[in-house]
Amino acid sequence: MAENRNSGFLKVVLIIFAAICIIYGIGYFFTPSFLMNLSGDTSVFHGWLRWLGGVLLALGVGGIRVYLNPQNQGIYVTTMALGSLLIGIALIWAWLTLEENANPWFTVLPAILAIVLAILLWIGRTKAKEVLYPKKE
C-alpha cells in the first residue's frame, strides 16, 4: 500500500510528461514547417526537427511504460528529469538571445513547462525512491 502511495505522485507526473512529449513529438515529427511558421523564426531543415519529434515521441512512450510499471525504473526517471532540466535551460538561453522577429511565447512556454516538469520529476523520483530503486535482499 505504501508503494502505491509513494509512486502515486510520480505516476501523475509521468502522465503529464508523456502527454507533453507526445504532443510536441507529433508536432515536430509531422508538421515541423507549421511549427517553424508559428515561431516566427527563420526556416530550418525539417530533418533536424523531425528527428527531435521522433525522440520526443519515444520519450512519451517510455513515460507511459514507466507509468505502467515503475518498479526498478529509477534510471529512466532520472534521465527524464535531467533531460527536462537541460531542455529548460537551453530554452531559457534561447529566450535570452531571441531574434527580433521571433515569437517569444513559442520559447517561453516550453521553457516553463520543461523546468516545471524537471522539478516535478525530481520530487516524484524522491518520493518513489523505494519503488524506483528497491533494495535487494
Side-chain angles (χ1 to χ4, degrees):
M1 185 67 168
E3 184 176 302
N4 287 340
R5 187 171 39 89
N6 290 340
S7 64
F9 179 80
L10 176 64
K11 285 186 166 195
V12 170
V13 175
L14 286 170
I15 287 298
I16 294 168
F17 175 85
I20 290 171
C21 284
I22 288 171
I23 290 167
Y24 273 95
I26 287 170
Y28 282 113
F29 193 77
F30 293 109
T31 61
S33 60
F34 174 73
L35 292 176
M36 284 305 299
N37 290 337
L38 276 179
S39 75
D41 208 351
T42 57
S43 183
V44 175
F45 173 62
H46 292 159
W48 290 109
L49 298 174
R50 287 191 199 282
W51 79 264
L52 171 65
V55 171
L56 286 169
L57 287 169
L59 286 172
V61 170
I64 292 169
R65 295 192 66 190
V66 174
Y67 168 83
L68 294 173
N69 184 15
Q71 191 75 21
N72 294 315
Q73 298 298 323
I75 292 171
Y76 189 80
V77 173
T78 301
T79 303
M80 289 188 295
L82 181 60
S84 295
L85 177 64
L86 293 173
I87 289 167
I89 291 169
L91 289 170
I92 289 171
W93 186 354
W95 178 24
L96 295 174
T97 60
L98 201 61
E99 294 181 18
E100 286 182 27
N101 60 341
N103 294 326
W105 68 267
F106 199 79
T107 303
V108 174
L109 177 63
I112 292 169
L113 282 173
I115 295 293
V116 168
L117 270 176
I119 292 167
L120 292 175
L121 283 165
W122 284 112
I123 292 170
R125 178 186 175 274
T126 303
K127 286 185 170 198
K129 207 160 204 148
E130 303 84 31
V131 175
L132 297 172
Y133 298 101
K135 294 179 183 172
K136 307 257 188 221
E137 294 183 25

